[in-house]
Amino acid sequence: MARIARRAEELGYHGLWTFQRLLYPRGHTMGPTYRSVHDPVVTLSYLAGLTSRIRLGVAVLNMPFFSPVLLAKQLASLQAVSGGRLDAGLGLGWLEEEFVASGVSMERRGRRAEEFLRVLRRLWSEETVEHEGEFYRLPPVHQDPRPARLPPILLGGGAPVALRRAGRLADGWISASREDPAGLGEKIAVVKEAARAAGRDPQALRFVTRGVTRVRPPGAADRRPLTGSFEEIRGDLAGLAAQGVTDLFHDLNFDPEIGSPDADPAESMRRAEAALEALAP
């Protein structure tokens, strides 16, 4: 973790990204990548102390598993100790077992998220906050220190209602790892239209792609974007930018030859470092 972070900064990468998974249900089919995942807030706080320039992002923290007061405090602190380098990706969650374990209902997740965002931003920007809502209640309170510079909030979710929510309320949208890179432009267009309808500037939004990258021999007839040789993968970036993608991070976790718990750790690190070097900006 430390080795990759330091080298990425040396090579000029724009950001480091992580993700959240609270638990892995026994017998689940989501895949081994999710079986072993560090807490993202702790991870990024650690990496903040090892780096000085590179941005620190999470794609995504699921709002229902936090109180807005707790997450506002954690992220404000991370923004401070990192010198303002945080990109805060937030989502709704989708794994039923995580909701059960967190004591939260999956119903009305969208309404909960919108109220969560209102409370979060008020805690970051107002001297005194009082709130009485459907999901959260705050007596008149202070939460200090507030961020000197607010972290960008990027929302995940691929359903039309989630895309429109990102356009109305967020600083950008983050695609999921399962998104087909070839279809990102259509979803970006929905986000931009929602921003425009809400009186916001769609050109000011960021569109972050969680690029599932798999390094393989070149020339495959059925090659998917971001799979193939280093040259082919680099060539895919222009096509993604043409669809409206502003940020892409190479996610090697979903390459079973690297991210699987069954993969050899030394070989996984060797291949990850080779990709880091070859795909550097």
Side-chain angles (χ1 to χ4, degrees), residues 68-125:
V69 175
L70 174 61
L71 192 61
K73 173 62 76 173
Q74 290 179 317
L75 296 186
S77 297
L78 177 51
Q79 178 76 333
V81 301
S82 69
R85 291 185 281 145
L86 175 63
D87 288 323
L90 304 179
L92 303 186
W94 57 269
L95 185 62
E96 182 178 359
E97 289 86 348
E98 289 183 330
F99 281 84
V100 172
S102 300
V104 183
S105 171
M106 292 185 72
E107 296 179 356
R108 296 178 295 168
R109 284 175 291 168
R111 290 173 61 178
R112 178 186 289 274
E114 296 201 16
E115 186 177 336
F116 189 107
L117 289 172
R118 288 196 299 272
V119 175
L120 182 76
R121 283 180 162 141
R122 291 187 64 195
L123 287 166
W124 282 348
S125 59

Side-chain angles (χ1 to χ4, degrees), residues 1-4 257-258 264-275:
M1 187 186 300
R3 188 162 141 189
I4 292 292
E257 297 180 8
I258 295 178
D264 176 70
E267 177 63 11
S268 292
M269 178 59 77
R270 186 195 68 77
R271 292 189 60 174
E273 289 185 315

Side-chain angles (χ1 to χ4, degrees), residues 2 5 21 28 50 52 67 69 74 137 140 153-154 177 184 205 217 243 254 259 266:
R21 184 89 282 138
H28 204 280
L50 299 177
S52 61
S67 76
V69 175
Q74 290 179 317
R137 178 178 180 272
I153 292 178
L154 310 165
S177 59
L184 289 172
L205 301 183
Q243 293 188 70
F254 293 89

Side-chain angles (χ1 to χ4, degrees), residues 121-134:
R121 283 180 162 141
R122 291 187 64 195
L123 287 166
W124 282 348
S125 59
E126 297 180 19
E127 173 68 24
T128 304
V129 178
E130 182 176 9
H131 178 82
E132 187 76 41
E134 181 180 359

